[in-house]
Amino acid sequence: MYSKKSKVILTFDVELWHEGKWQQPFIDYISKNDISFEKSMDKILNLLQQRKASATFFVTSLVVDSYPNYIKKIKDAGHEVSSHGIDHQKLHQANPIQYREKLIEHTKRIKEITGSLPQGFRAPHFSLNKKSSWIIQVLKELDYKYDSSIFPISITNQYGHSKAPRENYYVNENIIEKSSDGLLEIPISTSSLFSIRIPYAGGIYFRILPLFIFKYFLKKESRKTTAPIIYFHPHELESSTPKINRGPILKRIVKYWGTKKSFRKFERLFDDFEFQSIEKNLGL
């Protein structure tokens, strides 16, 4: 019997593999002839075309400046291009005035390449918190339609908000409270066990979890009124991404764990789910 696939919002946080601040001292040890970005993007775009799926690609300013041809490829293939901020800088470490000016230029540059303004924003490192909530007003001023920076679970002291709503809501400077005149917030999906919130929706969680457990959480969350939203980084789906053998061991484990098999694992999700961009899912 034919069973309709559950709809899931698919997103990619597109940054260069070495944009993390902790990696900067070690880049000189890496080959300058790296083509892993092109390889990862081509594999992803080809798969989406084969499976007739759409996705939202949040791109950093460095990606836009370095690979404008891929920004155009993404748009021409029918996908959504949105902003992943300025050079993968954490919002709470940025100067609000300078960041606003750079975001204006970044937004204009995306429009120059794609022909349309980006509708969505995702803060690098999910770094939207009360200290960086100034970005909400900036996004509204620049006519962004939504934000997708809230991870509704606290992950040590790095990111997340354990009291934030788990489904779409309108957000203001308070971040975790609903606001009738705020900006639409599309939080990253979490699941739950015995009322405890569980992260699963991408990144290291996807690579660590066995596929059947990931699918279980995703199917469970697909039964709710709003489609679950998951995220991936192109460099974590590409085994040829250069490896840094120096630096903090925990950060290296998180970055490279499971990357050799991650793309095949990702491919298998298409057998059970129908993937859409944020734009398409919300009818923007």
Side-chain angles (χ1 to χ4, degrees):
M1 179 183 295
Y2 174 79
S3 59
K4 188 176 181 181
K5 293 181 181 179
S6 301
K7 292 182 179 180
V8 175
I9 296 175
L10 175 62
T11 68
F12 293 93
D13 293 355
V14 187
E15 67 240 23
L16 301 186
W17 68 269
H18 52 73
E19 285 198 61
K21 186 175 181 180
W22 72 269
Q23 296 164 285
Q24 300 308 306
F26 312 104
I27 294 176
D28 289 343
Y29 299 102
I30 303 302
S31 169
K32 302 301 182 183
N33 298 319
D34 170 42
I35 60 168
S36 61
F37 179 86
E38 294 96 323
K39 290 179 68 175
S40 64
M41 289 301 300
D42 287 342
K43 286 168 65 174
I44 290 168
L45 291 173
N46 288 338
L47 177 62
L48 294 178
Q49 182 182 25
Q50 292 168 9
R51 295 302 188 114
K52 296 180 172 58
S54 64
T56 295
F57 291 78
F58 294 98
V59 297
T60 64
S61 59
L62 187 55
V63 168
V64 174
D65 293 340
S66 302
Y67 296 96
N69 58 320
Y70 274 90
I71 303 304
K72 191 172 188 307
K73 274 187 180 182
I74 292 168
K75 183 66 174 182
D76 289 349
H79 305 297
E80 178 184 6
V81 178
S82 283
S83 173
H84 195 31
I86 308 304
D87 297 346
H88 214 251
Q89 182 181 16
K90 293 181 180 179
L91 292 181
H92 55 267
Q93 295 175 343
N95 178 295
I97 296 175
Q98 293 177 356
Y99 198 95
R100 178 182 179 277
E101 292 174 352
K102 291 181 179 180
L103 185 61
I104 289 173
E105 294 305 312
H106 173 55
T107 302
K108 288 180 179 178
R109 183 65 178 134
I110 291 176
K111 183 180 180 181
E112 288 175 1
I113 298 171
T114 65
S116 57
L117 289 169
Q119 299 192 87
F121 179 86
R122 175 171 291 158
H125 303 284
F126 302 108
S127 57
L128 176 58
N129 55 34
K130 290 184 178 179
K131 291 182 179 179
S132 58
S133 62
W134 48 264
I135 195 66
I136 298 297
Q137 187 59 39
V138 173
L139 294 174
K140 290 174 68 176
E141 289 175 5
L142 299 183
D143 205 28
Y144 279 76
K145 305 303 181 187
Y146 68 86
D147 175 76
S148 183
S149 303
I150 298 291
F151 213 125
I153 182 173
S154 294
I155 308 297
T156 64
N157 64 343
Q158 297 299 308
Y159 59 84
H161 305 268
S162 60
K163 295 183 180 180
R166 293 177 57 201
E167 296 192 352
N168 298 355
Y169 66 105
Y170 286 88
V171 66
N172 61 16
E173 286 76 6
N174 192 278
I175 300 301
I176 61 175
E177 290 186 3
K178 297 179 181 180
S179 171
S180 59
D181 62 347
L183 182 70
L184 177 62
E185 177 64 37
I186 305 173
I188 299 300
S189 293
T190 58
S191 193
S192 61
L193 288 174
F194 308 109
S195 300
I196 299 173
R197 295 185 181 187
I198 305 293
Y200 76 94
I204 185 62
Y205 312 112
F206 171 75
R207 287 181 277 126
I208 286 177
L209 289 172
L211 185 59
F212 76 93
I213 294 180
F214 184 88
K215 285 185 174 182
Y216 166 77
F217 285 139
L218 198 51
K219 288 179 179 178
K220 177 182 177 183
E221 298 308 312
S222 296
R223 301 188 189 106
K224 297 184 177 179
T225 54
T226 57
I229 178 170
I230 60 177
Y231 70 98
F232 299 90
H233 302 88
H235 58 72
E236 70 183 334
L237 298 175
E238 176 51 51
S239 59
S240 70
T241 297
K243 303 295 187 293
I244 291 178
N245 297 315
R246 306 187 186 196
I249 186 170
L250 181 58
K251 289 184 179 296
R252 285 188 282 128
I253 289 173
V254 170
K255 186 170 185 65
Y256 297 117
W257 183 279
T259 53
K260 288 185 178 181
K261 299 179 179 179
S262 58
F263 188 79
R264 176 58 188 144
K265 188 176 178 181
F266 172 64
E267 279 185 303
R268 293 170 65 185
L269 294 176
F270 288 76
D271 296 333
D272 297 284
F273 303 97
E274 176 186 343
F275 292 114
Q276 297 180 330
S277 64
I278 293 175
E279 180 181 48
K280 184 174 181 180
N281 185 267
L282 298 182
L284 297 177

